[in-house]
Every structure is written in C-alpha cells, then in structure tokens.
Amino acid sequence: MISRFSVLLLILPFLLLIPNSSNANTLSEKSEFEKFEAIAGDAARIYFRQLRDYPLRGGGTPPDELMAMNGKDVEIVGFMIPYDRIENITTFILLQAPFMGCFHVPPPQANETILVHTDKPIRSYTYDPIMVSGNLTIEEVHMEGYLISVYTIDSAEIRPSTNEDAELDDLPPNFHLYGD
C-alpha cells in the first residue's frame, strides 16, 4: 500500500515544474480567497527566519520569543505545497520559497516548514505566495514515522499575497535556484 507521504514525495517535483500559466485558478485571479480579510490586528506576523531559530539537533528547545507565539494567532507569507491532493485542499505544507521542496535542492528541515489545516477547503492549488493566518502550535508533527514539521497552523484563513511580502531575500544558505 502506498502512503500519502510517499505519493507526496513522488508528485512534488512534477507539481513544482508545471508552469504558472497552466494554473487556471491561482490566487492572483478572482477567486474564493479574495473575500478573506486580515485578522483585525490581533495576529502577529512571523517569519521563516524566526522559525529556523529552533535548533532541532542535540535536543534543542525553541527560543523563548518563539515559544511566546505558541497558541497565539499568527500570520506568515509562504508557498503552498499540497499534501495529499491539489483540489479541495484542507491540509498543506507552507514553505518559504516555491522550490524548497523540489528535487534539485536539499529538502527543508522540520523547522522550515509549517503544516497548515483549514476549516474550509481551498478549491485548488496555487503557485502564488499566500498569507496564512491562524493559531500556531509548536510541537513535533510525525507522519508515517517521518518528522514533517515542528509548526502547525490550525483553523487557517488563506488570502493572496505578493512576492514582495514573501521572504525571498532571506533564504537558508543551502537553498539555490536553477543556475546558482
């Protein structure tokens, strides 16, 4: 029996190589996501560079500043990686850059990913940056024996964002794009 995680690993490189123009339902077009509004000032903006401050090796613990966000409403901009489907999505992984999960770069560490759960299904996968708002939990998430993330955002609301709001200038040292 093939697991969901195995299917994700098999289809991920192909999903990332499909050109943007073929995606008929991106967040930049008129879609169901445009009706979401920002949480009224009570969500703290967090950044992937802060999430990487949690040392995973050697029994590290999250920094106090990061643990202060545990159980709080946060918002972060990133790129969606589907977990088990590309339509009617209720669970996905959020990454800092669109190609961090691609076969040509080292995979992101568990402190560079966020597992996102939405209450309302998202119609289809998007290649565009998105703002995710919801309740942050800092706790190891294992799926089929693999550590997927140490961060989860539950009851997430998703809305379109821009490359300017994404952290594309602050990528980890082991990240590279084609031609680098």
Side-chain angles (χ1 to χ4, degrees):
M1 175 186 267
I2 297 177
S3 68
R4 285 187 195 177
F5 185 73
S6 299
V7 170
L8 174 66
L9 290 177
L10 289 172
I11 66 169
L12 183 61
F14 299 106
L15 289 173
L16 293 174
L17 294 176
I18 300 170
N20 259 351
S21 60
S22 70
N23 187 2
N25 189 17
T26 65
L27 290 177
S28 61
E29 298 172 351
K30 296 287 183 197
S31 72
E32 64 182 323
F33 300 101
E34 292 182 11
K35 65 183 173 197
F36 289 121
E37 296 178 10
I39 294 177
D42 50 346
R45 174 77 190 265
I46 60 172
Y47 299 89
F48 282 94
R49 67 178 175 269
Q50 295 168 308
L51 301 181
R52 284 194 298 273
D53 286 343
Y54 181 170
L56 297 177
R57 299 193 195 314
T61 59
D64 292 339
E65 300 82 28
L66 189 54
M67 280 308 294
M69 301 310 303
N70 192 28
K72 303 278 193 307
D73 286 336
V74 298
E75 59 183 22
I76 187 167
V77 174
F79 293 84
M80 174 189 295
I81 300 297
Y83 173 64
D84 61 353
R85 64 184 82 170
I86 59 172
E87 295 179 326
N88 297 318
I89 300 166
T90 57
T91 300
F92 63 91
I93 296 170
L94 190 72
L95 298 177
Q96 179 177 356
F99 294 106
M100 285 185 79
C102 197
F103 64 90
H104 74 282
V105 292
Q109 300 296 310
N111 63 351
E112 297 175 309
T113 65
I114 302 173
L115 185 62
V116 178
H117 300 288
T118 64
D119 294 333
K120 181 180 178 195
I122 300 167
R123 189 176 322 174
S124 67
Y125 169 66
T126 181
Y127 299 91
D128 298 325
I130 56 175
M131 173 74 75
V132 174
S133 303
N135 191 270
L136 177 70
T137 301
I138 302 174
E139 180 178 75
E140 289 186 0
V141 176
H142 294 267
M143 291 184 183
E144 300 178 18
Y146 295 97
L147 177 60
I148 301 299
S149 182
V150 291
Y151 306 108
T152 303
I153 294 181
D154 290 311
S155 300
E157 291 188 17
I158 314 300
R159 62 186 187 277
S161 192
T162 65
N163 281 333
E164 290 78 30
D165 287 334
E167 296 173 70
L168 297 175
D169 292 334
D170 186 33
L171 294 168
N174 65 353
F175 179 79
H176 59 88
L177 293 171
Y178 289 110
D180 285 351

